[in-house]
């Protein structure tokens, strides 16, 4: 096999803001190329997963991605309880230690901005695997890859984002990525207590991306291409009254699916609680389990880009 050295394309993955159109197209192309690959291109490299909040898909798909490229994995879940954080160590000091043990650190934390803080002190790449209600850029990249794969394009689509848009970090990151495409339209469907935050809405205005804010899912889906449903992020609420008002009328069931165009897809970053009725799962437009599977290929692409390894010519 002939190999050519590839320059490192990314220093860290902290925010969706980092990804312009060219970089997004590169991620999509590399994820397509790496899907199903098992080789040794990251042989000898070590990835640490440092998770202060629960995770199933993100942690396991990162681990699977690293192993499929020949690398090794170390890690701690429940890092708040099982790492020196419980003794009072700062995140910055923990990162200064873990970078001595690994070539890349995948970090999930409960505070918005934590990955950015880690990247400031780290001498190895930091990957934001979710920072509280802040962002979840690698999920948004796999969401974008899924839209490409399912619908063949992103330009010109009407994307409905629905559920807990205020605390849902995946919806925030995805909305940012979608602004990089031509002719995209977004509808934000949620009760007022969990609507999309003004920082994202004002960025859409600056980039001249048309959007609608509503609590009417039945109205929004009739001409959509994608419905992106999200879980109400129960763990982020301090006021039980607000949590009670957060669901509104945004559940997806068979009746709602009748209003959805045949070409459209339903996505969800998972885990699902009750916001999509399981009766929808058998509908071919339900793309959420296919979407979760796409996480491995996208994370392989990111690890390749971060570690600047060689790849087949
Ligand atoms: N798994 C996603 C996240 O970590 C979505 C969720 O938890 O609802 O943000």
């Amino acid at each position: 096999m002939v190999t050519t050295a590839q320059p490192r394309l990314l220093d860290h993955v902290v925010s969706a803001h980092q990804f312009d159109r060219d970089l997004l197209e590169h991620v999509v192309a590399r994820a397509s190329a790496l899907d199903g690959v098992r080789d040794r291109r990251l042989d000898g490299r070590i990835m640490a997963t440092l998770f202060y909040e629960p995770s199933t898909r993100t942690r396991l798909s990162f681990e699977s991605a690293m192993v499929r490229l020949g690398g090794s994995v170390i890690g701690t879940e429940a890092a708040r309880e099982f790492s020196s954080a419980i003794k009072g160590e700062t995140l910055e000091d923990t990162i200064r230690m873990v970078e001595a043990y690994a070539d890349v650190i995948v970090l999930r934390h409960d505070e918005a901005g934590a990955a950015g803080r880690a990247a400031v002190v780290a001498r190895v790449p930091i990957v934001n695997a979710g920072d509280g209600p802040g962002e979840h850029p690698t999920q948004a990249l796999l969401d974008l890859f899924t839209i490409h794969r399912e619908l063949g394009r992103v330009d010109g689509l009407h994307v409905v984002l629905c559920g807990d848009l205020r605390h849902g970090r995946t919806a925030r990151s995805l909305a940012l990525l979608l602004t990089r495409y031509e002719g995209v339209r977004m509808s934000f469907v949620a009760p007022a207590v969990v609507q999309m935050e003004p920082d994202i809405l004002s960025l859409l205005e600056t980039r001249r991306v048309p959007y609608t804010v509503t609590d009417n899912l039945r109205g929004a889906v009739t001409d959509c291409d994608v419905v992106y449903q999200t879980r109400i992020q129960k763990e982020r609420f301090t006021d039980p009254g607000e949590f009670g008002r957060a669901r509104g009328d945004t559940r997806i069931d068979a009746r709602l699916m009748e209003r959805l165009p045949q070409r459209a897809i339903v996505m969800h970053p998972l885990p699902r609680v009750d916001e999509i009725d399981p009766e929808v799962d058998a509908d071919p437009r339900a793309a959420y389990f296919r979407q979760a599977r796409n996480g491995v290929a996208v994370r392989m692409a990111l690890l390749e880009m971060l570690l600047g390894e060689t790849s087949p010519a």
Side-chain angles (χ1 to χ4, degrees), residues 14 24 27 34 50 72 93 137-138 167-168 178 200 203 215 220 232 236 248 258 269 303 309:
V14 167
L24 289 173
V27 173
L34 289 168
L50 189 57
S72 309
D93 281 358
T138 73
H167 308 102
L178 289 171
I200 303 287
L203 188 93
D215 61 1
I232 305 299
R236 313 262 181 239
E258 286 170 15
L303 289 169
E309 271 304 318

Side-chain angles (χ1 to χ4, degrees), residues 57-58 108 136 139 169-170 231 233 235 269-271:
R57 278 155 291 274
T58 304
R108 171 165 290 187
H136 195 344
Q139 173 72 45
R169 54 198 177 193
T170 70
R231 174 178 72 88
Q233 309 279 301
E235 66 277 25
L270 302 177

